Amino acid sequence: GLARAAGKLAIASFHDFEKTPGDAELADVVARGRALGADVVKIATAVAGPCDLRSLARLLVGTDDIGLIAIGMGDRALATRLLFPALGSLLTYAHAGAATAPGQIPLDEMHSLLRRCATRASPQSHSAPSTQQERQHPSPATSSSSSSSPPICCSTASSVSATATGR
């Protein structure tokens, strides 16, 4: 497609602000993105409860032939924003100002939560930087927000920017 010809990544995006579709419909969304030549398929759906979380999680762990971003929207979707990157979702979203979708949390809160998760999950998290240089200017390899943290995309009312944390 045009994006590839220009050396860019093509993302096919699907949003359902009403519900999380069933497994077959979610798989169809991925298939349509694949057929369009997308490199990544982004799926954002309203989450009403645990069944919706499981449907999105099944999609993530069952899809390995195309990049996938799965994010739940709404008050019951916080787990998707924190845990789905561990299941293979390529990024998560937070807002820097005002939320642009239901369930988005502020960027500083997301960063803090992800750092806490990465710190608790990482066996290297308890080692202190060995040099003053590392303490003052941690590299991605020594920072607690290294590759165990997903990229965070933060959106503002006027723009969208991506901040990579360790990738």
Side-chain angles (χ1 to χ4, degrees):
L2 294 174
R4 244 187 226 129
K8 305 296 180 188
L9 189 69
I11 300 174
S13 184
F14 170 86
H15 290 76
D16 189 327
F17 290 93
E18 305 285 319
K19 67 185 181 331
T20 295
D23 292 355
E25 189 177 342
L26 290 171
D28 186 55
V29 169
V30 174
R32 285 184 285 159
R34 192 181 298 114
L36 289 170
D39 299 296
V40 175
V41 175
K42 175 185 168 226
I43 297 175
T45 67
V47 170
C51 289
D52 293 341
L53 293 172
R54 285 191 294 273
S55 290
L56 291 171
R58 275 192 302 273
L59 180 70
L60 275 170
V61 299
T63 305
D64 59 7
D65 65 328
I66 191 167
L68 193 59
I69 299 165
I71 298 179
M73 296 182 287
D75 293 338
R76 297 181 178 189
L78 180 60
T80 69
R81 296 173 182 277
L82 294 174
L83 303 175
F84 278 14
L87 297 178
S89 187
L90 297 177
L91 58 84
T92 191
Y93 282 85
H95 71 78
T100 58
Q104 283 184 350
I105 63 173
L107 179 60
D108 57 344
E109 183 179 345
M110 174 72 77
H111 190 255
S112 174
L113 289 168
L114 287 173
R115 286 184 65 123
R116 286 180 61 200
C117 290
T119 299
R120 290 181 183 192
S122 171
Q124 298 173 343
S125 65
H126 302 291
S127 62
S130 60
T131 68
Q132 180 152 351
Q133 175 75 11
E134 288 176 346
R135 284 188 293 274
Q136 291 176 343
H137 305 287
S139 70
T142 61
S143 171
S144 64
S145 65
S146 66
S147 62
S148 60
S149 295
I152 301 172
C153 287
C154 64
S155 58
T156 63
S158 60
S159 66
V160 176
S161 60
T163 303
T165 56
R167 289 200 179 152

